[in-house]
Amino acid sequence: MAEKNISMAVIRRLPKYHRYLGDLLDKDVQRISSKELSDIIGFTASQIRQDLNNFGGFGQQGYGYNVEALHNEIGNILGLNKIYNAVLIGAGNLGQAIANYAGFRKSGFEIKALFDANPRMIGLKIRDFEVLDSENLESFVEENNIDIAILCIPKNGAQDVVDRLVNVGVKGIWNFAPIDLDVPKGVIVENVNLTESLFTLSYFVQRHLVFVKKNENVEENNYAASLK
Ligand code: NAI
């Protein structure tokens, strides 16, 4: 399917479409209109039609969308039709939590090894993995066809590790370290920051409190509407 230049905002919404459509498939729902999808996902029906039109549109007037076809197609667009080999660097609290979550593997992201620089961590068993010495990162990446690195180390040293990974051909960095990484063209960094997400929550919580205080009789739903 020919893809136009897709805006980042649309790309950011695709995983959500994929997840909700997966839930519908689990419930054996075979087709759905943009209006019904809108009620579930919360985007407007016209937004949904516009988003999906970017990829040629999968809906048919009067029929709606075929849930399975749409789920598969969005999965293909997201590149979920293959297995990605990953290494995880930094086997501390966060690294272990990620390594212990089985869902990534189910979605096609296969963590092949965990690495750490701390001699006390090296050799520890975490899930199916023995933590490896990060001195040996390059040879492992080269020998195991690694696509993605998951970075769970402090910001000091993170750029060095990334430079080493990029040198041996890693193309995607899932970055949890609180640092803006420099990478050459062709390498993609996806930053994840739970603290930023928490701060966004804090903004809305305190705004809600102020709103409720000012409008003692206002119902909760009106507050939600006021944010749109
Ligand atoms: P931690 O101290 O438990 O684990 C960090 C591990 O990285 C340690 O085992 C350490 O030996 C290892 N390490 C440090 N430098 C290394 C290097 N150059 N090469 C290989 N291994 C190295 O820390 P925690 O709590 O797991 O946090 C790890 C990082 O993730 C921190 O930068 C923290 O700020 C960040 N973080 C980010 C979150 C997010 O939402 N983005 C959420 C939680 C933590």
Side-chain angles (χ1 to χ4, degrees):
M1 181 155 304
E3 286 181 30
K4 297 187 266 174
N5 258 346
I6 311 297
S7 79
M8 190 53 104
V10 175
I11 295 166
R12 294 271 175 220
R13 285 195 285 274
L14 289 183
K16 198 159 179 175
Y17 286 122
H18 191 261
R19 175 162 60 86
Y20 278 101
L21 289 163
D23 290 347
L24 289 169
L25 269 185
D26 288 345
K27 291 180 195 147
D28 280 332
V29 176
Q30 283 163 19
R31 65 172 161 156
I32 191 156
S33 67
S34 49
K35 166 76 177 67
E36 289 165 322
L37 209 47
S38 158
D39 291 342
I40 302 170
I41 302 188
F43 307 151
T44 64
S46 92
Q47 168 98 81
I48 290 171
R49 285 192 297 271
Q50 233 175 50
D51 283 355
L52 301 179
N53 271 341
N54 276 291
F55 308 98
F58 310 105
Q60 282 171 31
Q61 202 122 40
Y63 176 88
Y65 296 99
N66 176 312
V67 173
E68 189 174 10
L70 187 55
H71 183 256
N72 289 343
E73 198 53 47
I74 292 177
N76 289 340
I77 292 163
L78 288 171
L80 302 180
N81 48 359
K82 61 166 278 190
I83 304 287
Y84 294 91
N85 292 331
V87 287
L88 187 152
I89 302 109
N93 293 304
L94 179 65
Q96 292 186 26
I98 290 175
N100 276 316
Y101 177 55
F104 298 134
R105 181 184 239 165
K106 279 193 204 138
S107 308
F109 298 87
E110 182 103 45
I111 298 177
K112 291 289 185 185
L114 264 60
F115 288 90
D116 205 286
N118 182 342
R120 275 182 299 171
M121 299 301 292
I122 297 164
L124 271 190
K125 194 98 172 114
I126 293 158
R127 202 161 160 227
D128 306 334
F129 309 102
E130 188 174 317
V131 178
L132 304 178
D133 186 344
S134 57
E135 287 277 304
N136 303 323
L137 195 52
E138 282 94 335
S139 55
F140 187 93
V141 166
E142 284 179 321
E143 284 159 23
N144 291 277
N145 211 5
I146 298 299
D147 311 287
I148 289 175
I150 306 172
L151 209 60
C152 301
I153 61 178
K155 65 178 170 186
N156 287 341
Q159 184 65 55
D160 282 353
V161 170
V162 166
D163 291 344
R164 288 170 56 200
L165 289 161
V166 167
N167 268 337
V168 287
V170 170
K171 291 285 182 249
I173 312 283
W174 200 25
N175 177 36
F176 289 84
I179 178 176
D180 292 325
L181 296 165
D182 257 339
V183 289
K185 255 194 167 156
V187 177
I188 310 295
V189 177
E190 174 67 17
N191 295 308
V192 182
N193 197 313
L194 299 180
T195 311
E196 285 174 14
S197 172
L198 199 53
F199 287 1
T200 308
L201 175 68
S202 132
Y203 169 81
F204 285 113
V205 167
Q206 59 100 31
R207 201 173 152 194
H208 187 184
L209 293 179
V210 171
F211 186 91
V212 170
K213 221 171 170 183
K214 278 198 205 148
N215 304 274
E216 299 270 310
N217 302 325
V218 174
E219 284 176 25
E220 197 89 343
N221 284 347
N222 289 355
Y223 166 69
S226 79
L227 291 179
K228 288 185 179 162

